[in-house]
Amino acid sequence: MRNLRNTRRDQLRSPGDLALKASGWDIENESIICAYGPTKDNSLIQLKRWHYDREENEENLRDIASWDAPCPLPDLECDNILDVRYFSESSTICIVLAGGDIIVVREAPSDGQEKIEIVGTVDVGISAAAWSPDEELLTLLTRADTLLYMTKEFDNISSVTLAEDDLKASKHVSVGWGKKETQFKGKGAKALRDPTMPEKVDEGLPSAHDDNSSTISWRGDGAYLAVNSNQASPRRVIRVYSREADLDGVSEPVDGLEGALSWRPDGNLLAGIQRFDDHVDVVFFERNGLRHGQFPLRIAVDEMTDEWATSIILEWNVGSSILAVCFRDRVQLWTMGNYYYYLKQELSFTYASPSGRIGFQWNPEHPLMCTAMSEDSIHRLEYVLSVDAGSTISPDGYGIVAVIDGTEEVKLTPFRLANVPPPMAFQEVSVKSNIVHAAIYGGGSNTKVAVLERDRLTIYRWNLKSRPVLAPILLASAETAACQRFVQQVVFVDDEQVLVLATHYPGSTVSLFRLTATDLKHVRTSPSVPFAQSICLSSSRLNSIPCLHFSSSGRVASSHKILESGSDSGQKSFSDNGWNDICVFPKLIREVKIIDLWNNNSETTDDGSLTIAFGLTPNGSLYANSRRLAKDCTSFLVTPAHLIFTTTQNLLKFVHMVQVEELEVPPDTPEIDERCRSVERGARLVTVMPSISALILQMPRGNLETIYPRALVLPVIRQHIDERKYKKAFLSCRSHRVDMNILHDHDPEKFIKNVDLFVGQVGKVEHIDLFLSQLREEDVSKTIYKDTIIRGKPESGMQNPRPDAGAPRDSGKPKINIICDAFLQALQPCASTNLQNIITAHVCKSPPDLEAGLLEVAKLQSGSSVRDEKYKLKIAGHNSEEAEKAVEHICFLVDVNRLYDNALGLYNLELALLVAQQSQKDPREYLPFLQQLQELPPNRKEYAIDDYLGRYTKALMHLHAINDFEESTIYMTKHKLYEDALRIYRWQDDRIQGVMGLYAEYLRKEANFREAGIAYEFVKNYAHAAEAYQLAHLWQEALSCAGFIPLKEAQLQSFASIIAGSLQELKDYHSAAIVHQDYLHDLESAARLFCKGYFYADAIRILSLNKRPDLVDTIVDAGLVEGMGTMTELLAECRAQFNAQVPRLRELRIKKVEEPLAFFEGDANNGMDIPDNVSLAPTDGSTTGGSLFTRYTNRTGTVGTNATRRTSKNKRREERKRARGKKGSVYEEEYLVNSIGRLIERVNAVGDEVGRLVAGLMRRGMRERAKAVEGAMVEVVGLCRDCVGEVFQSESKVVQEADRQKEQDVDRPTGGDGVLWDSMEAKKEAPEVKAFEKLALFTR
């Protein structure tokens, strides 16, 4: 669908009477080497360099060298240049002459070197010459049938003689696939004939116009070359040789084969010429010599004998996309799409001498740059492959694409009306001369089509709204002679004005044509400006100011004065003051598109719009003004709302159209971002139709594909919602599989207010059901579709998004329920016609309101049933069709078994029967069951139903209504309904005692001793309550209940002794001491227990209270000494652990940074210097997942696993290693951190005990001992405080948040590696070190 458009044409006339014979590219210096001569009258050869990019006033043609080259062969009138090649690394030019000389010209010869040197001579002469693509080999075909291979230093390395025996090298086998001989022609037509044998076998008969020329062509990778010659053979043969000069194959016999040959650089086809009596074909060969298709050149029969058509040369461009067919006075450029060859351009040259021909050469690096030369001039041409499409502005966006095919035909296809696959077209327009360019304006009934020919401009009108759509009608045409030489592009400015861009050395001109009611008039032509590549108009409106893209500087500038009236307006428009610069692109921008953004801010044009220019370079860089947006772009389009482009990663991306600084290119995440989606490999954009949300893509083969991206569909849906066109919005969501929640989420308040309008517009019951059934709580405007709109900014051509769109909803009620309730309210007036929707609204709530839906069915069921005499049940009658349909619908929405249970839960047996009839249940099972229920009394029936449905609380309530307490207690105990029973019998004191007693027994069995004791105490069962409290270690409650039993004194003391013993086991010495003092009356034991718990003040108090000061010395002092020894030993252990573990942790962390391999692998290689990532064999244990370091530290993907960490057994083994934290293992660091953390917690726990110990020692006069204990505690607390920051390395919140964000994209490994992963990802928070309050009595 792409056309070739000329973007620049430079011309150089031959100086004086010199005849240009050959040329060669100098890529590095951006120049062309021109070789003038020799001729019949003058054997002098002159080399000149043409700098085509220099300014007009600079010298652009510089002499290099000249010498006399008489022809050594008597059969040649003059020598002929076969090849000119420039080598930039040595600044030398190699020229191969047909007479046999190989000449090297040095532009900057060193000492001892000649400027012009004949480095070799072939005495018999040379027929053809070609350099390999890497310029390392030169191949020559001599006139003695010898193929020579020479190095870059011109040393002969191989010599092959062409012989007739070469034809036996290939044994061609063709089964005839795709030939007409293999097609079915009926049962009786040549039924016995071998289909693999063609009807006519070519013998290789020569062409009548064969000039006996020879051609050499290399494959693009330089591995093979092909030689087309008729020497040493009875017929013309294409021989294929390897780089090592081995014959690889020869072509099959082809009648009329001529000397042209060009190997497609990508290597799959060789192109040649086959001439017939009535037409000429370009034929293709495979490397093995077999034919592989063809296409005809469009030469009329009466032109077959014309001089210009008798000699043809073929040249593929370096990109393998364009085939140049060179005649004597013209060049045709052909492209291929969908296995069809299009003739895109024909270049005619009138300056060729009668005896000469056009020379043509592609640029070896730039696929769309070439030179064409005759003896008196040379032209350098640059092209761009672009789509000539119509407007993308709604509603004129009909997706019209014009495809140039042939010199006199334009194919037109409006994709909005018909997606016609190429090479076919919807309509075709024929003109009288060569087509250069085509343009389309508008859409609908007044579509204009402009066809720019070589010497004429023609305007057509095309009515696309008529049915059927007729062919375009010719409106007017005009000569383009006033445009001065080579026309390039035609552009519509508005409905009546057309601009034509033309090249006239040394620059470009712009001509204005105006369409009137009767004809097309040329208004004016601008003076020459620097070369302009293209005229650009805005893609956001039909009538816009024209802009020019200057190829030499990359400048894009606009001027409206060319459109103004007045004789001098054209002169002013191109003066320096008449241009408004938009941007300056890099120099090699090949395609430019302009758009105007409406903006009331600064930096805008006079009409309040901000202009942005988008440009694409040949290497894939996409620019917006001077900002580069992407570096892997392959094609792009511009609409008023989006920039759309494809990438080399086979992605299609949409960028919201905002100011340049705010343009946001979506990441390569098509799975989560609707602005990015995957496309077929090599797909290119053709056109876009925002009005129908369609995008046309062309695949590499040439076939077309129409897609409807969400980024285009959603703006249309939002526009429909804003305009309250809910039916169109709904149908768009349904057609394009868009989540229908967008209908509500885009503007919740408006939708809820217009639910009745939605119901009226959508109308169909099935469509309303479809919408309700797809509701979910997610706000799709903030999740999956959040990237398809810019909040707070209007989309061009659409209304502004509402400020409350997507606002938070009422958190007290689910969104689904709000919508369903609104629909239920709107559907009530039309319940008779929309009952199905009402049922759906009930069922789709969250949670589903099945009972309300079933009640709607029950309303229909009443009065429309008959009685089953066998089971005494009412069964739906035959006239209850609505009820049956309603039940069938609700059973479709919800599991029928669940519905059956809900129907039973309504205690409506007739409704349950109706639902059961829609299920797969066996009637022999549910009918007797329902009959049994029917015969029960109401309360008993409801109890049975609730018990069957597992609604035990309701069943218990029905038993309470029956007033059967005994059965209620049995049922309560069976289903553990004690709390429900307490609530039911809360006002019946006699029965609540029984329920509480059963509940207490249940709690005791469940080991909930505390609440069991409370329950026993509630029913005044003190014996069981005391026992329960004892098991719950509630000594105060237990002893109080024991006193209420009441117990004898001995029994009470025995019970208290048991409790005191259990408290001592729990190390609750304070409580045990109180029990010994109050209940056992053992003062000494109580004092000892107080001292054991470091409660020395309490011990002294009770001894003083009971007048036993003698025991203070024996019990308290001894307890102080014992406590001091225990505490001093504990603090010494803590200090030793700190001094051992903190330095070891510091050492590990230094090793982790300096020697990560030894740290993570435990230095298993004894310090040997081994590679970081070695895999000697492709086994499961190899480190293919990354290096030993990156496996455990790099958070970019799943951690690599090996054979020792895969099974669950290895996982348990790894967990044991982690728990041990063995020294030298990878888990040691984590183990040390956890150990120090536990140590700090232990120090915090003994702080109060140390304080009480120090105070007790001071009270008893043991000052030095108290000071020693306090000093030890202060030292340990200081160690804790000093090491916290180092051990528990705290990171800033910013770093922690970044780590968490990064870890979200990382998958946790499994098996043993998962244990290591958890170990490394574990982040232990630093514990708080409690301050220790010292006594002020010690001397500081």
Side-chain angles (χ1 to χ4, degrees):
M1 304 299 290
R2 282 166 169 73
N3 296 324
L4 271 177
R5 180 171 61 83
N6 180 250
T7 58
R8 180 164 179 175
R9 184 165 183 165
D10 300 305
Q11 180 183 7
L12 175 68
R13 294 291 183 88
S14 298
D17 58 350
L18 297 180
L20 182 61
K21 292 296 184 178
S23 64
W25 288 96
D26 180 2
I27 305 299
E28 183 176 351
N29 298 313
E30 294 186 347
S31 59
I32 298 174
I33 307 300
C34 300
Y36 295 92
T39 62
K40 180 181 178 180
D41 301 326
N42 187 1
S43 61
L44 184 68
I45 297 178
Q46 297 186 41
L47 290 184
K48 297 178 182 292
R49 182 186 298 276
W50 177 30
H51 294 275
Y52 47 79
D53 264 349
R54 291 191 176 179
E55 298 295 336
E56 180 181 2
N57 56 356
E58 297 183 19
E59 182 184 2
N60 59 2
L61 189 63
R62 184 176 61 85
D63 292 334
I64 299 176
S66 63
W67 69 95
D68 191 52
C71 181
L73 300 180
D75 58 335
L76 295 179
E77 291 184 351
C78 63
D79 215 338
N80 183 30
I81 299 176
L82 298 179
D83 185 81
V84 176
R85 182 61 59 101
Y86 180 80
F87 299 97
S88 58
E89 66 276 9
S90 59
S91 299
T92 59
I93 304 169
C94 178
I95 298 178
V96 180
L97 300 178
D101 291 338
I102 303 174
I103 302 173
V104 171
V105 178
R106 300 179 179 89
E107 287 194 278
S110 59
D111 295 339
Q113 289 184 332
E114 298 180 2
K115 185 177 182 64
I116 303 172
E117 180 183 359
I118 300 177
V119 295
T121 301
V122 179
D123 295 334
V124 297
I126 302 174
S127 299
W131 284 91
S132 62
D134 58 2
E135 297 183 342
E136 294 296 330
L137 289 179
L138 172 63
T139 53
L140 304 174
L141 181 61
T142 71
R143 307 182 87 184
D145 304 337
T146 303
L147 182 65
L148 302 178
Y149 283 70
M150 304 181 72
T151 65
K152 200 171 185 178
E153 290 75 26
F154 305 102
D155 297 327
N156 190 11
I157 58 175
S158 294
S159 177
V160 181
T161 301
L162 278 61
E164 187 174 349
D165 291 340
D166 295 343
L167 304 184
K168 303 177 183 178
S170 295
K171 297 181 180 180
H172 303 129
V173 178
S174 174
V175 295
W177 298 120
K179 302 264 184 158
K180 68 177 183 179
E181 293 86 357
T182 62
Q183 306 304 313
F184 178 71
K185 300 180 181 179
K187 294 182 179 180
K190 303 179 182 178
L192 300 178
R193 188 176 175 277
D194 185 358
T196 64
M197 296 299 295
E199 295 180 359
K200 178 181 179 299
V201 178
D202 284 359
E203 302 175 5
L205 299 177
S207 168
H209 296 279
D210 194 345
D211 55 2
N212 295 321
S213 63
S214 300
T215 308
I216 300 176
S217 180
W218 283 85
R219 199 169 74 173
D221 59 358
Y224 294 91
L225 64 87
V227 179
N228 184 355
S229 70
N230 58 1
Q231 301 176 19
S233 302
R235 60 180 174 87
R236 181 170 285 279
V237 179
I238 299 176
R239 294 174 173 85
V240 177
Y241 292 92
S242 68
R243 192 179 180 92
E244 292 75 25
D246 297 326
L247 182 63
D248 187 70
V250 299
S251 62
E252 62 177 277
V254 176
D255 292 343
L257 187 65
E258 297 187 354
L261 178 67
S262 181
W263 201 326
R264 195 175 184 185
D266 63 11
N268 60 342
L269 294 176
L270 294 92
I273 292 293
Q274 183 182 16
R275 188 178 296 271
F276 297 89
D277 294 335
D278 57 349
H279 68 282
V280 178
D281 283 352
V282 175
V283 294
F284 299 107
F285 296 87
E286 300 176 10
R287 199 190 81 190
N288 58 12
L290 290 176
R291 285 281 301 275
H292 192 95
Q294 66 281 323
F295 71 89
L297 296 177
R298 300 171 189 179
I299 303 175
V301 177
D302 56 348
E303 296 176 333
M304 291 289 295
T305 58
D306 290 351
E307 183 67 24
W308 65 268
T310 57
S311 179
I312 303 175
I313 296 175
L314 300 177
E315 289 288 344
W316 282 104
N317 72 331
V318 69
S320 302
S321 58
I322 304 174
L323 176 63
V325 180
C326 308
F327 300 92
R328 286 191 178 275
D329 64 346
R330 68 196 66 182
V331 177
Q332 294 181 348
L333 303 181
W334 296 76
T335 64
M336 191 270 286
N338 218 10
Y339 301 107
Y340 176 83
Y341 280 83
Y342 296 85
L343 175 54
K344 292 298 184 182
Q345 290 283 344
E346 182 175 278
L347 309 174
S348 297
F349 298 90
T350 58
Y351 302 108
S353 64
S355 60
R357 61 165 300 120
I358 295 297
F360 186 88
Q361 189 177 23
W362 288 104
N363 189 293
E365 290 188 4
H366 303 291
L368 298 179
M369 186 184 297
C370 62
T371 59
M373 67 174 192
S374 61
E375 290 186 352
D376 54 2
S377 65
I378 182 172
H379 299 257
R380 188 189 72 95
L381 302 104
E382 293 184 28
Y383 288 91
V384 64
L385 282 168
S386 62
V387 178
D388 296 331
S391 172
T392 60
I393 308 171
S394 299
D396 296 310
Y398 274 74
I400 307 173
V401 176
V403 179
I404 298 174
D405 182 20
T407 58
E408 301 175 356
E409 184 178 78
V410 176
K411 296 183 175 182
L412 301 172
T413 300
F415 286 99
R416 183 171 173 179
L417 302 181
N419 193 341
V420 181
M424 297 182 292
F426 190 80
Q427 290 287 355
E428 296 180 356
V429 175
S430 297
V431 295
K432 297 180 180 180
S433 62
N434 294 345
I435 300 174
V436 176
H437 189 237
I440 301 165
Y441 178 84
S445 59
N446 194 30
T447 303
K448 297 290 196 314
V449 178
V451 179
L452 180 63
E453 306 165 46
R454 185 171 55 188
D455 53 5
R456 178 171 294 274
L457 175 63
T458 307
I459 307 294
Y460 297 85
R461 186 173 65 85
W462 196 13
N463 186 359
L464 294 177
K465 291 187 176 181
S466 64
R467 293 297 180 270
V469 178
L470 303 178
I473 301 173
L474 176 63
L475 291 182
S477 64
E479 297 283 342
T480 57
C483 297
Q484 303 178 14
R485 297 302 300 278
F486 307 111
V487 292
Q488 294 175 286
Q489 183 187 11
V490 58
V491 173
F492 276 101
V493 178
D494 52 34
D495 194 34
E496 297 179 351
Q497 299 185 101
V498 181
L499 293 179
V500 174
L501 177 67
T503 296
H504 183 268
Y505 188 81
S508 300
T509 60
V510 179
S511 299
L512 175 64
F513 290 81
R514 183 166 289 126
L515 180 65
T516 65
T518 57
D519 59 359
L520 181 65
K521 293 183 179 180
H522 173 258
V523 179
R524 69 180 68 87
T525 297
S526 71
S528 179
V529 297
F531 280 113
Q533 178 173 307
S534 61
I535 304 176
C536 310
L537 295 177
S538 174
S539 299
S540 59
R541 47 181 175 162
L542 291 177
N543 304 329
S544 60
I545 300 173
C547 303
L548 284 185
H549 172 218
F550 298 101
S551 57
S552 58
S553 62
R555 176 188 176 199
V556 178
S558 63
S559 175
H560 63 277
K561 294 185 178 181
I562 187 63
L563 307 177
E564 295 178 353
S565 301
S567 59
D568 61 342
S569 59
Q571 298 286 342
K572 293 181 180 179
S573 65
F574 289 90
S575 63
D576 292 337
N577 297 327
W579 289 98
N580 296 319
D581 283 346
I582 298 174
C583 69
V584 177
F585 281 131
K587 186 175 181 181
L588 292 179
I589 290 290
R590 288 289 177 258
E591 186 175 0
V592 177
K593 296 184 186 297
I594 306 293
I595 190 166
D596 292 333
L597 295 183
W598 296 100
N599 197 322
N600 294 325
N601 298 330
S602 59
E603 300 181 2
T604 60
T605 57
D606 296 338
D607 59 353
S609 64
L610 176 67
T611 303
I612 302 178
F614 295 94
L616 179 63
T617 64
N619 62 0
S621 294
L622 179 62
Y623 286 85
N625 290 353
S626 58
R627 177 191 172 192
R628 189 171 75 172
L629 300 179
K631 57 182 179 181
D632 57 352
C633 177
T634 56
S635 62
F636 77 101
L637 291 173
V638 174
T639 71
H642 295 98
L643 163 67
I644 311 169
F645 66 94
T646 56
T647 70
T648 55
Q649 303 300 319
N650 307 320
L651 296 174
L652 174 66
K653 294 189 176 184
F654 293 81
V655 180
H656 293 295
M657 200 62 70
V658 292
Q659 294 186 15
V660 175
E661 298 78 11
E662 300 174 0
L663 290 172
E664 180 185 357
V665 179
D668 297 346
T669 53
E671 61 279 355
I672 61 174
D673 195 337
E674 293 292 351
R675 297 174 300 168
C676 178
R677 65 171 288 172
S678 299
V679 293
E680 186 178 331
R681 179 180 178 183
R684 299 290 186 271
L685 296 171
V686 175
T687 188
V688 60
M689 293 166 281
S691 57
I692 60 172
S693 309
L695 185 68
I696 309 296
L697 295 167
Q698 187 168 29
M699 304 304 115
R701 185 172 66 88
N703 56 308
L704 300 179
E705 184 175 317
T706 302
I707 62 174
Y708 298 86
R710 299 284 168 77
L712 294 179
V713 172
L714 287 167
V716 177
I717 293 175
R718 292 190 182 100
Q719 182 181 9
H720 292 327
I721 295 173
D722 292 336
E723 297 172 357
R724 300 197 302 175
K725 298 177 181 179
Y726 290 109
K727 183 174 183 179
K728 290 185 177 180
F730 171 83
L731 293 177
S732 296
C733 291
R734 181 169 174 262
S735 300
H736 302 296
R737 301 179 66 85
V738 176
D739 194 319
M740 292 192 180
N741 285 272
I742 191 67
L743 298 175
H744 168 270
D745 296 342
H746 175 62
D747 196 339
E749 182 180 351
K750 175 186 283 188
F751 183 83
I752 295 300
K753 290 180 180 179
N754 293 278
V755 168
D756 53 348
L757 180 62
F758 178 92
V759 173
Q761 288 183 359
V762 174
K764 288 188 178 181
V765 174
E766 296 81 2
H767 290 174
I768 298 176
D769 276 352
L770 178 61
F771 170 74
L772 293 173
S773 63
Q774 293 194 4
L775 291 175
R776 51 197 175 101
E777 284 301 318
E778 179 185 0
D779 186 347
V780 297
S781 66
K782 295 181 179 179
T783 55
I784 58 177
Y785 301 140
K786 65 179 180 180
D787 297 318
T788 59
I789 190 173
I790 303 177
R791 293 294 178 188
K793 296 189 178 183
E795 296 190 30
S796 180
M798 301 182 185
Q799 298 180 10
N800 294 352
R802 294 177 60 88
D804 59 347
R809 285 115 184 166
D810 183 9
S811 58
K813 193 173 183 180
K815 177 189 86 172
I816 298 176
N817 294 357
I818 295 175
I819 299 174
C820 289
D821 289 341
F823 269 85
L824 289 173
Q825 183 178 356
L827 292 171
Q828 286 303 324
C830 50
S832 58
T833 57
N834 292 78
L835 177 64
Q836 180 174 315
N837 299 140
I838 295 176
I839 295 174
T840 303
H842 285 300
V843 172
C844 289
K845 286 186 177 181
S846 178
D849 193 356
L850 300 181
E851 293 186 359
L854 289 170
L855 289 175
E856 295 292 340
V857 179
K859 293 177 183 179
L860 294 176
Q861 188 195 23
S862 60
S864 61
S865 60
V866 297
R867 190 171 185 82
D868 184 281
E869 296 298 334
K870 179 179 179 180
Y871 294 103
K872 310 298 183 183
L873 292 171
K874 291 182 180 180
I875 303 176
H878 297 289
N879 58 348
S880 59
E881 295 181 1
E882 293 184 4
E884 291 181 0
K885 290 182 179 179
V887 169
E888 184 178 353
H889 176 66
I890 197 172
C891 289
F892 171 76
L893 297 174
V894 187
D895 179 33
V896 67
N897 296 316
R898 185 180 175 189
L899 277 177
Y900 176 73
D901 294 342
N902 278 271
L904 279 177
L906 294 175
Y907 314 117
N908 189 332
L909 300 183
E910 289 78 10
L911 181 60
L913 177 61
L914 192 60
V915 173
Q917 289 174 344
Q918 299 292 330
S919 70
Q920 300 296 324
K921 294 180 179 292
D922 189 352
R924 292 174 296 181
E925 295 180 1
Y926 67 77
L927 284 177
F929 172 70
L930 295 177
Q931 192 269 339
Q932 292 175 4
L933 294 177
Q934 184 74 16
E935 295 175 353
L936 295 176
N939 284 332
R940 180 61 66 175
K941 178 180 67 174
E942 294 172 1
Y943 159 74
I945 291 174
D946 288 330
D947 181 61
Y948 170 78
L949 297 176
R951 302 191 297 190
Y952 303 121
T953 301
K954 283 191 174 183
L956 183 63
M957 295 177 66
H958 293 307
L959 287 177
H960 173 259
I962 297 173
N963 200 21
D964 189 345
F965 182 69
E966 182 178 357
E967 186 177 0
S968 297
T969 55
I970 296 172
Y971 193 80
M972 172 194 68
T973 303
K974 178 181 178 182
H975 297 291
K976 304 175 184 178
L977 303 174
Y978 302 102
E979 296 180 3
D980 298 319
L982 289 174
R983 185 178 66 255
I984 293 172
Y985 292 102
R986 61 185 180 276
W987 307 117
Q988 301 179 25
D989 294 339
D990 54 339
R991 293 184 176 179
I992 201 171
Q993 292 290 328
V995 173
M996 188 64 76
L998 294 173
Y999 193 17
E1001 184 66 22
Y1002 167 75
L1003 292 173
R1004 185 181 65 81
K1005 291 180 180 178
E1006 293 293 322
N1008 192 348
F1009 300 114
R1010 177 179 176 275
E1011 295 196 11
I1014 296 173
Y1016 278 126
E1017 192 172 1
F1018 179 84
V1019 298
K1020 297 182 172 43
N1021 188 344
Y1022 296 114
H1024 287 85
E1027 180 182 357
Y1029 283 138
Q1030 176 194 350
L1031 295 173
H1033 305 294
L1034 300 174
W1035 63 275
Q1036 294 169 319
E1037 290 84 351
L1039 290 172
S1040 63
C1041 287
F1044 289 134
I1045 295 178
L1047 293 176
K1048 295 180 180 180
E1049 184 65 24
Q1051 293 176 333
L1052 182 60
Q1053 287 190 357
S1054 175
F1055 185 68
S1057 178
I1058 296 173
I1059 291 177
S1062 64
L1063 291 173
Q1064 291 183 48
E1065 292 177 358
L1066 296 174
K1067 297 185 178 180
D1068 188 359
Y1069 299 114
H1070 192 275
S1071 299
I1074 294 175
V1075 173
H1076 274 277
Q1077 178 186 358
D1078 294 346
Y1079 289 91
L1080 299 179
H1081 309 291
D1082 187 352
L1083 185 62
E1084 294 183 7
S1085 298
R1088 287 189 178 92
L1089 289 173
F1090 275 131
C1091 291
K1092 196 170 185 179
Y1094 296 93
F1095 297 100
Y1096 301 103
D1098 289 329
I1100 296 173
R1101 179 185 61 80
I1102 64 173
L1103 293 175
S1104 174
L1105 179 66
N1106 289 277
K1107 311 299 184 183
R1108 295 296 304 273
D1110 55 314
L1111 296 178
V1112 173
D1113 296 335
T1114 59
I1115 296 177
V1116 176
D1117 290 352
L1120 285 168
V1121 173
E1122 180 182 0
M1124 175 194 170
T1126 304
M1127 191 60 67
T1128 303
E1129 182 179 358
L1130 173 63
L1131 294 176
E1133 291 178 357
C1134 294
R1135 182 172 56 252
Q1137 185 175 345
F1138 273 118
N1139 292 332
Q1141 290 184 340
V1142 173
R1144 174 59 180 170
L1145 182 62
R1146 187 181 300 118
E1147 177 186 350
L1148 285 175
R1149 287 178 173 168
I1150 294 175
K1151 185 178 180 180
K1152 180 179 179 180
V1153 176
E1154 296 179 351
E1155 302 178 27
L1157 181 63
F1159 175 81
F1160 287 108
E1161 290 297 319
D1163 200 12
N1165 297 281
N1166 299 321
M1168 293 176 59
D1169 187 12
I1170 62 173
D1172 188 33
N1173 186 8
V1174 177
S1175 177
L1176 300 179
T1179 63
D1180 291 338
S1182 63
T1183 58
T1184 56
S1187 68
L1188 297 175
F1189 173 68
T1190 58
R1191 274 195 298 161
Y1192 302 136
T1193 59
N1194 184 15
R1195 300 176 178 178
T1196 57
T1198 305
V1199 176
T1201 60
N1202 54 34
T1204 62
R1205 294 191 177 101
R1206 289 200 172 177
T1207 64
S1208 58
K1209 179 179 179 181
N1210 290 330
K1211 178 182 178 182
R1212 292 191 297 271
R1213 181 186 305 155
E1214 213 53 37
E1215 289 173 346
R1216 290 194 295 270
K1217 289 182 180 179
R1218 180 183 180 187
R1220 288 196 299 269
K1222 182 179 177 182
K1223 185 175 182 179
S1225 69
V1226 73
Y1227 302 109
E1228 184 183 3
E1229 180 186 6
E1230 181 192 19
Y1231 178 83
L1232 290 176
V1233 172
N1234 294 335
S1235 177
I1236 295 173
R1238 291 191 298 268
L1239 185 59
I1240 293 175
E1241 293 174 358
R1242 187 178 181 185
V1243 172
N1244 289 337
V1246 302
D1248 294 337
E1249 296 178 356
V1250 173
R1252 294 196 298 268
L1253 175 61
V1254 171
L1257 289 171
M1258 285 296 293
R1259 290 180 63 183
R1260 297 299 300 158
M1262 304 177 188
R1263 181 178 181 278
E1264 295 302 323
R1265 294 184 178 182
K1267 186 175 181 180
V1269 174
E1270 184 184 77
M1273 184 63 184
V1274 170
E1275 181 183 359
V1276 172
V1277 171
L1279 290 174
C1280 294
R1281 187 177 295 108
D1282 293 341
C1283 76
V1284 165
E1286 179 182 0
V1287 174
F1288 306 93
Q1289 295 176 343
S1290 59
E1291 299 175 339
S1292 66
K1293 293 184 178 180
V1294 177
V1295 175
Q1296 292 177 0
E1297 183 64 27
D1299 286 345
R1300 282 196 297 269
Q1301 195 71 20
K1302 188 184 298 182
E1303 290 167 8
Q1304 290 179 356
D1305 301 330
V1306 180
D1307 296 331
R1308 180 189 181 277
T1310 59
D1313 276 347
V1315 178
L1316 180 60
W1317 176 273
D1318 294 338
S1319 171
M1320 300 203 56
E1321 295 298 319
K1323 302 293 184 182
K1324 185 174 179 62
E1325 295 183 1
E1328 179 183 358
V1329 180
K1330 292 184 178 179
F1332 178 72
E1333 184 177 356
K1334 297 185 292 184
L1335 287 178
L1337 297 175
F1338 298 114
T1339 303
R1340 297 291 181 260

